[in-house]
Amino acid sequence: MSGTSQPLRALWRHHRRHRPRVVAAATFTTLNTAADVAPELLLGVAVDVVVRGADSFAASLFGIEGRFGQLLVIALLNIAVWVVESATDYAAAVLWRGLSQAVEHELRVETYANVQDLDVSWHEGSAPGRVLSIISDDVNQLERFLDVGARVILHTFWTVVFVGAVFAASSWQLMLLAFIPVPVIVWGSIRFQKLLEPLYRRVREAAGDVSATVSTNLGGLTTIKAFTAERREVERVRVVSQGYWDANRAAIRSSAAFVPLIRMAILAGFTSTLLLGGWFVIQGRLEVGLYTVLVFMTQRLLWPLTDLGETLDLYQRAMASTRRIFSLLEERGHQVPGDLRLDAPVRGRLELRGVRFGYADGPDVLRGLDLVVPAGETHAVVGATGAGKSSLLRLVLRFSDPREGRVLLDGVDVRDLSWDSLRGAIGYVSQDVFLFHGTVRDNLAYGRPDAGEDAIREAARLAEAHTFIEGLAEGYDTVVGERGLTLSGGQRQRIALARAILRDPALLVLDEATSAVDNETEAAIQRSLATVTTDRTALVVAHRLSTVRDADRIWVLAEGRVAESGTHDELVDGGGLYAALWAVQTGEALHQPQT
């Protein structure tokens, strides 16, 4: 049975290590409720002392005839009860809050860890804002219920049990009258629960829409401004926020009606006890002290049930959130890592044999691709947009698996390798460089956190990044900001290259690393590559052919196949597709004589 269909049961199973804490918290809540009910009993005993004196229940129980002596004993008992109530209230609060915080922490970490392990293709098809809403807001909703709601439910249950026991020992007629509203309240709670469940499911979904929209817009703020789409995006946010507001209003209208209905049921029970109990006292069938106890007990019995409205609200929100949390926890990736490790030292020989690949149910992007990069050589992959260059890299990094064929690293199918062995042997520099919020040093050492200062600076020098880093306000301790936006594109690209170099990979993979940089940065990256690829394998996907003219071999893709391959000079002399691309990029095609 999945966590989405039985969220409370799923929580109990999933967090079984916290069961002793739940039992302890429930025990202290039970003792606290008993101590909470006891003062009403002592009040009735005190009234009985004042009215009956030496014939009171206290006199027979304590063996004290004087009224003041009896009251003194009752006062001491009351002090003891209040001490117990305060102590158990503290213990229960600490345990419940500790439990809620522990569950919140664990679920947030587990959910993030599971999301991080999912395939790249899963993330490409999912809105980051919706995932963020689950990890943040939904986990918080569950924490609020465990902190408050669970304790209120237990307290209410034991109040009904203890008060019911007092009524049963005093007068079965009054017990029936006092308890008549309870089934109505329970029925109403169940009825409202079924009514609120779909309403709060829509609330959580609407909250996810808001989070996804705002997150996406903030990530694309420069594009919004560039296209003067601010008003349009404000309207988009207004629409999804209105949807969230409307969903909440529908839920609130239903949940807010609960407490007034409960109050009417309480009024009926309280009035019945007041009148019938008073009639019994007048007839001499009930002692005044006991009558006082039962009147107060009726309120003690029924009044906590008014909290069921708010508690039910918390419960429904928490269960809707729990379903979303466990739905995310139950997501599984299609790619499973192998358990093999590459033999040391890793040489970096790369082979693609008969590879056929496409996205989801779409057509093939790569069609029977064969490609070999010998260890220690630098090979480039070029081609027009849509030729399959980026798809090839996805297979090398195993962000996706081929439909047919094999991708081999040092002769081992990448599907048989562990993630650490495969990706640990690769240094990757993407076109869209991602830098984390932190210092330059933090970002350089991201792939090798234990790297020393000398190694970090040497990697920066090899990437020709050391000079500009030293020129920053705080050098290597400069904070780069969110996604590294305080740096220029060329600076980010050189830091990314240094980050890959520091890892000392057997295979260096660059995806359009110079497509968005100026000529100076391109020249710097070319010089860096010439140095760092001397004794390692490199696979370079490039749009600018000038950056790969010195490669040992260039593979030209067209429509998912290898159209031609060779050195730069061989391909230019061959007069094929590469020669045509070279002519366009160098401007030679513009100066061809007209025929």
Side-chain angles (χ1 to χ4, degrees):
M1 187 175 294
S2 71
T4 55
S5 58
Q6 295 289 340
L8 205 57
R9 186 175 299 178
L11 276 174
W12 180 250
R13 289 200 307 266
H14 190 74
H15 293 281
R16 59 174 54 89
R17 58 190 171 278
H18 293 305
R19 288 178 184 178
R21 183 181 292 187
V22 173
V23 172
T27 300
F28 279 110
T29 299
T30 303
L31 294 173
N32 177 254
T33 306
D36 191 44
V37 171
E40 276 80 3
L41 290 172
L42 293 175
L43 177 62
V45 174
V47 170
D48 187 56
V49 168
V50 173
V51 173
R52 298 174 61 197
D55 296 326
S56 68
F57 173 75
S60 61
L61 181 63
F62 305 135
I64 302 173
E65 294 186 2
R67 294 184 180 182
F68 184 77
Q70 296 176 41
L71 291 175
L72 183 59
V73 173
I74 294 171
L76 292 174
L77 287 174
N78 189 56
I79 291 172
V81 166
W82 277 76
V83 169
V84 170
E85 182 182 9
S86 299
T88 54
D89 182 68
Y90 172 79
V94 169
L95 286 167
W96 283 117
R97 290 177 183 175
L99 173 68
S100 65
Q101 293 295 320
V103 170
E104 177 188 34
H105 165 72
E106 291 171 6
L107 278 180
R108 181 175 290 122
V109 173
E110 287 178 48
T111 307
Y112 172 77
N114 189 62
V115 167
Q116 189 172 252
D117 287 341
L118 293 175
D119 303 342
V120 172
S121 57
W122 184 93
H123 287 276
E124 292 170 343
S126 302
R130 189 175 297 277
V131 175
L132 179 63
S133 174
I134 294 173
I135 294 176
S136 178
D137 192 36
D138 283 319
V139 172
N140 288 343
Q141 289 285 355
L142 177 59
E143 182 268 335
R144 282 191 285 271
F145 170 70
L146 293 176
D147 187 9
V148 178
R151 188 179 177 192
V152 170
I153 289 174
L154 266 177
H155 182 75
T156 302
F157 169 78
W158 284 116
T159 296
V160 171
V161 171
F162 293 145
V163 172
V166 173
F167 268 95
S170 305
S171 169
W172 65 268
Q173 296 98 327
L174 289 177
M175 183 184 73
L176 289 177
L177 285 176
F179 273 77
I180 282 176
V182 174
V184 176
I185 295 171
V186 172
W187 176 85
S189 300
I190 296 173
R191 183 75 182 88
F192 268 78
Q193 178 181 341
K194 292 180 179 179
L195 176 66
L196 290 172
E197 183 176 353
L199 297 179
Y200 278 116
R201 188 183 306 121
R202 285 195 287 273
V203 169
R204 300 313 318 144
E205 291 170 355
D209 291 339
V210 172
S211 181
T213 302
V214 172
S215 176
T216 301
N217 283 12
L218 290 177
L221 201 58
T222 53
T223 303
I224 293 172
K225 288 181 176 295
F227 286 89
T228 60
E230 290 93 340
R231 291 186 180 179
R232 192 182 338 141
E233 294 307 326
V234 167
E235 178 61 19
R236 190 197 304 273
V237 172
R238 189 197 67 78
V239 169
V240 294
S241 182
Q242 182 70 45
Y244 179 58
W245 185 12
D246 291 341
N248 258 308
R249 283 193 297 182
I252 290 169
R253 279 196 297 269
S254 297
S255 62
F258 186 77
V259 172
L261 292 176
I262 297 302
R263 285 177 180 271
M264 294 302 100
I266 291 172
L267 176 62
F270 187 77
T271 304
S272 299
T273 304
L274 185 69
L275 294 176
L276 183 61
W279 176 251
F280 283 172
V281 172
I282 294 172
Q283 288 189 328
R285 298 169 56 185
L286 189 68
E287 296 295 338
V288 174
L290 192 52
Y291 171 62
T292 304
V293 170
L294 296 181
V295 169
F296 277 102
M297 284 290 184
T298 303
Q299 184 170 351
R300 171 67 67 183
L301 168 69
L302 301 177
W303 189 253
L305 297 178
T306 59
D307 291 335
L308 284 180
E310 182 179 352
T311 305
L312 191 61
D313 187 80
L314 282 174
Y315 174 79
Q316 287 301 341
R317 288 177 183 268
M319 292 305 101
S321 293
T322 302
R323 286 186 178 89
R324 282 161 52 88
I325 293 167
F326 277 96
S327 176
L328 193 55
L329 280 174
E330 290 167 3
E331 289 282 356
R332 291 292 180 268
H334 298 294
Q335 293 175 291
V336 180
D339 53 10
L340 296 182
R341 297 190 61 82
L342 294 169
D343 293 334
V346 179
R347 297 177 295 119
R349 176 182 172 84
L350 180 66
E351 302 171 68
L352 282 81
R353 301 293 188 187
V355 169
R356 186 170 69 86
F357 171 72
Y359 296 92
D361 297 326
D364 286 347
V365 177
L366 299 178
R367 301 174 175 89
L369 189 69
D370 288 296
L371 185 151
V372 178
V373 183
E377 292 189 7
T378 296
H379 283 215
V381 179
V382 302
T385 301
K389 303 186 297 296
S390 295
S391 298
L392 184 154
L393 292 190
R394 290 177 68 97
L395 299 180
V396 172
L397 289 158
R398 211 190 162 202
F399 291 158
S400 298
D401 287 330
R403 290 172 175 173
E404 287 183 6
R406 298 195 301 162
V407 179
L408 307 172
L409 184 60
D410 281 2
V412 182
D413 194 315
V414 296
R415 286 172 290 197
D416 296 329
L417 293 172
S418 67
W419 295 132
D420 286 342
S421 184
L422 170 63
R423 293 172 184 164
I426 298 175
Y428 177 56
V429 181
S430 67
Q431 177 182 0
D432 182 19
V433 175
F434 187 94
L435 298 183
F436 294 89
H437 182 70
T439 66
V440 171
R441 181 182 288 100
D442 293 337
N443 278 278
L444 288 172
Y446 188 75
R448 188 180 157 195
D450 60 345
E453 187 69 17
D454 291 341
I456 291 173
R457 290 175 179 266
E458 179 60 23
R461 289 190 184 95
L462 289 172
E464 297 204 15
H466 176 73
T467 301
F468 88 77
I469 293 174
E470 286 287 289
L472 296 175
E474 297 181 53
Y476 283 81
D477 293 317
T478 301
V479 176
V480 302
E482 193 72 28
R483 298 182 64 90
L485 294 179
T486 61
L487 304 176
S488 70
Q491 289 172 331
R492 292 198 298 271
Q493 199 73 53
R494 279 186 265 183
I495 287 177
L497 179 58
R499 180 169 62 188
I501 293 171
L502 182 61
R503 202 172 192 189
D504 192 23
L507 173 62
L508 184 62
V509 175
L510 289 88
D511 182 11
E512 304 278 15
T514 62
S515 63
V517 299
D518 54 39
N519 292 332
E520 181 184 351
T521 302
E522 179 184 356
I525 291 176
Q526 283 182 286
R527 290 193 299 269
S528 300
L529 289 177
T531 302
V532 302
T533 59
T534 301
D535 298 317
R536 82 177 78 240
T537 312
L539 180 64
V540 182
V541 167
H543 174 72
R544 292 183 182 179
L545 302 185
S546 59
T547 62
V548 298
R549 62 181 301 169
D550 295 327
D552 295 302
R553 191 172 194 85
I554 300 171
W555 301 83
V556 185
L557 300 189
E559 298 182 349
R561 295 185 175 89
V562 175
E564 54 188 3
S565 68
T567 64
H568 170 77
D569 293 337
E570 290 171 349
L571 292 172
V572 171
D573 292 341
L577 180 57
Y578 182 87
L581 291 172
W582 178 257
V584 170
Q585 291 193 15
T586 58
E588 295 177 8
L590 300 177
H591 304 294
Q592 295 295 326
Q594 299 292 323
T595 58

